[in-house]
Amino acid sequence: MSDLICVAFDEPDTADKVLHALTAMTKEQLIELTDACVVVRPPEGELQLKQMVPLTKVGALSGGSSGALWGALVGLLFLNPLAGMVIGAGVGAGTGALAGRLSDYGIDDDFIRRVGSAIKPNSSALFLQIRKVTADKVLERLRAEGFHGHVLQTSLTNEQEAALQKAISESNA
């Protein structure tokens, strides 16, 4: 089971920096992220969402490679495997991109937009879906790097949420 954590930051680039720090911690097995999204609200204009996993690109790549393989095999039947590979890759990439665009797993985009619209202009927010975390070490590192923010929403218990809020508020002091 994963936990959802949404944290808002006063600067527009802080959410990106925190996500970069957390991604580095995944290599040390301190945290395991299922999904993440950075939301930036410019001084004027619409929210900007930066998904951790671009599903359209992933779908196009996997669809293109499997389409090329199947196209080459079918092309062998018609004695033209190169043409089959090219056509199969094109069709596979298109259908894979479409499937990636239509499938949405992880954090719901509508939820991200709804909660993200609550942040003030010229700020950012980080949405995390976390499978596993060594909370004390992760919070200690984020605190040492000077990141601070405030919790918008979580799926944590009230006690865990209060501890998280206290930890990220302590870096303010």
Side-chain angles (χ1 to χ4, degrees), residues 8-19:
F9 302 98
D10 292 333
E11 297 82 24
D13 62 340
T14 305
D16 271 325
K17 291 177 182 176
V18 172
L19 181 57

Side-chain angles (χ1 to χ4, degrees), residues 69-146:
L69 174 68
W70 284 106
L73 292 175
V74 171
L76 279 174
L77 295 173
F78 297 105
L79 302 174
N80 197 348
L82 184 60
M85 186 180 344
V86 171
I87 293 170
V91 171
T95 57
L98 182 62
R101 180 108 173 125
L102 296 176
S103 66
D104 189 16
Y105 64 90
I107 307 170
D108 182 55
D109 290 348
D110 292 333
F111 172 77
I112 292 171
R113 283 188 184 88
R114 186 170 29 87
V115 175
S117 65
I119 64 174
K120 63 184 181 181
N122 204 28
S123 64
S124 61
L126 180 59
F127 292 74
L128 300 168
Q129 191 172 24
I130 302 170
R131 180 173 297 144
K132 191 172 62 170
V133 64
T134 308
D136 56 343
K137 291 184 180 183
V138 170
L139 288 173
E140 181 181 319
R141 289 229 189 133
L142 292 177
R143 197 176 306 125
E145 293 188 33

